[in-house]
Amino acid sequence: MKTAEITFLAILAAFAASLAFGSLDLKYADEFSFGPGFVPLNVGILIFVCCAIQALRSFAKSRQEKAETADRQDQEANSPNVSGLLITAAIIVLAVAAMALGSVLAPIFAMIVLMSWRVARHPITSSLFVGATTTATIYVIFAIWLNLPVL
């Protein structure tokens, strides 16, 4: 498993844990329907579980590949991905700044587009479409359906 994948899984798992922990103050449900804490708690738990499953699968896969690539790794020089680290740091700084100004959807859109484009290697047009539809879905769920401020 690459260092970038481990870092990304750790950041995503920390985000999921903070989302689930932060939603404990919100009302989970009442006698007629679910409350505002229902979606963030469940999403946080599910993201955390998916991160754990992905980490286990990647570690199992890396053990198999480790035996096959031991000779090649001795010959190649591994250089750190400085550009990826700088992009990640910039995204985190911009997301914190945008959320401090009251916008949650802009950093979500940026993260989804970058993950789709750079990590999943989709074309930029597909990445923009995925980012727009996902952000619109989040807006519909939280702003329209649950009446929570997301802008």
Side-chain angles (χ1 to χ4, degrees):
M1 185 172 209
K2 295 180 183 178
T3 306
E5 292 172 349
I6 294 170
T7 305
F8 179 71
L9 275 177
I11 291 171
L12 192 59
F15 168 74
S18 69
L19 181 67
F21 184 73
S23 68
L24 293 176
D25 295 336
L26 300 173
K27 188 175 183 181
Y28 185 76
D30 59 11
E31 58 188 74
F32 299 110
S33 68
F34 58 88
F38 180 84
V39 172
L41 180 64
N42 291 334
V43 167
I45 291 170
L46 288 174
I47 290 174
F48 190 80
V49 167
C50 288
C51 286
I53 291 171
Q54 182 61 32
L56 292 173
R57 290 177 63 200
S58 294
F59 284 130
K61 184 178 176 183
S62 68
R63 284 186 179 177
Q64 293 173 352
E65 292 177 354
K66 191 174 185 179
E68 298 171 0
T69 60
D71 293 334
R72 283 186 271 158
Q73 288 180 352
D74 291 338
Q75 296 172 355
E76 296 176 359
N78 293 330
S79 61
N81 187 358
V82 177
S83 64
L85 181 62
L86 291 175
I87 290 171
T88 303
I91 289 170
I92 291 171
V93 168
L94 291 173
V96 169
M99 286 188 280
L101 297 173
S103 175
V104 175
L105 295 177
I108 290 173
F109 175 76
M111 287 294 291
I112 292 171
V113 168
L114 285 173
M115 283 189 300
S116 175
W117 182 40
R118 302 304 291 166
V119 176
R121 306 258 189 237
H122 295 148
I124 188 68
T125 53
S126 298
S127 300
L128 290 171
F129 177 74
V130 167
T133 55
T134 305
T135 306
T137 303
I138 290 170
Y139 176 78
V140 167
I141 290 172
F142 288 101
I144 296 175
W145 188 21
L146 298 175
N147 289 326
L148 296 173
V150 291
L151 295 176

